[in-house]
């Protein structure tokens, strides 16, 4: 069986997690933002339409927020899991090299 490499850009996954956090915040703050926009229109009828439109999206936005939170959780789990495995493998390699050097003082660990 041919060897395969698994390469993860943990920095990119961290950036994705942070971006998803920003999306979640925007969704959660949407009502307050729409109310501010409605107040800023300076026209009661237009402001009411802005509020009405934004508030009708509440159920859809809530479901979308839940989905983004789930995705963010998956990204965090993958990142944390691979970071932990990487650290454990690095420690195992270091311990193995130290054992080799200890048990075979004249050899050079590769």
């Amino acid at each position: 069986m041919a060897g395969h490499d698994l390469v993860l850009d943990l920095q990119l996954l961290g950036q994705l997690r942070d971006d998803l956090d920003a999306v979640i915040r925007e969704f959660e703050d949407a009502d307050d933002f729409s109310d501010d926009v409605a107040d800023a229109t300076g026209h009661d009828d237009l402001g009411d339409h802005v509020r009405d439109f934004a508030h009708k999206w509440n159920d859809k936005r809530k479901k979308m927020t839940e989905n983004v939170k789930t995705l963010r959780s998956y990204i965090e789990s993958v990142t944390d899991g691979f970071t932990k495995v990487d650290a454990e493998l690095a420690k195992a390699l270091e311990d193995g090299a130290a054992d080799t050097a200890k048990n075979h003082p004249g050899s050079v660990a590769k």
Side-chain angles (χ1 to χ4, degrees):
M1 179 177 194
H4 299 282
D5 291 332
L6 176 63
V7 179
L8 289 178
D9 187 335
L10 296 176
Q11 184 175 5
L12 187 59
L13 287 173
Q15 181 61 51
L16 176 58
R17 182 198 59 232
D18 294 345
D19 291 346
L20 292 172
D21 282 337
V23 170
I24 292 165
R25 280 191 306 277
E26 288 296 321
F27 281 173
E28 290 176 341
D29 295 340
D31 269 348
D32 293 337
F33 178 73
S34 66
D35 288 340
D36 291 344
V37 170
D39 292 340
T41 63
H43 189 276
D44 290 340
D45 191 41
L46 180 57
D48 289 342
H49 286 291
V50 170
R51 277 186 201 86
D52 184 53
F53 176 81
H55 292 217
K56 283 182 180 178
W57 273 89
N58 283 348
D59 290 339
K60 291 179 185 182
R61 189 172 37 251
K62 181 179 178 183
K63 183 65 177 168
M64 290 171 63
T65 302
E66 290 170 7
N67 289 337
V68 173
K69 285 180 177 180
T70 298
L71 178 59
R72 189 227 180 267
S73 175
Y74 293 157
I75 295 298
E76 187 170 48
S77 293
V78 167
T79 303
D80 291 348
F82 275 93
T83 299
K84 181 179 177 184
V85 166
D86 187 54
E88 289 171 355
L89 289 173
K91 183 171 181 350
L93 287 173
E94 290 171 0
D95 291 349
D99 286 346
T100 298
K102 179 180 168 185
N103 294 328
H104 304 285
S107 69
V108 177
K110 293 184 180 179

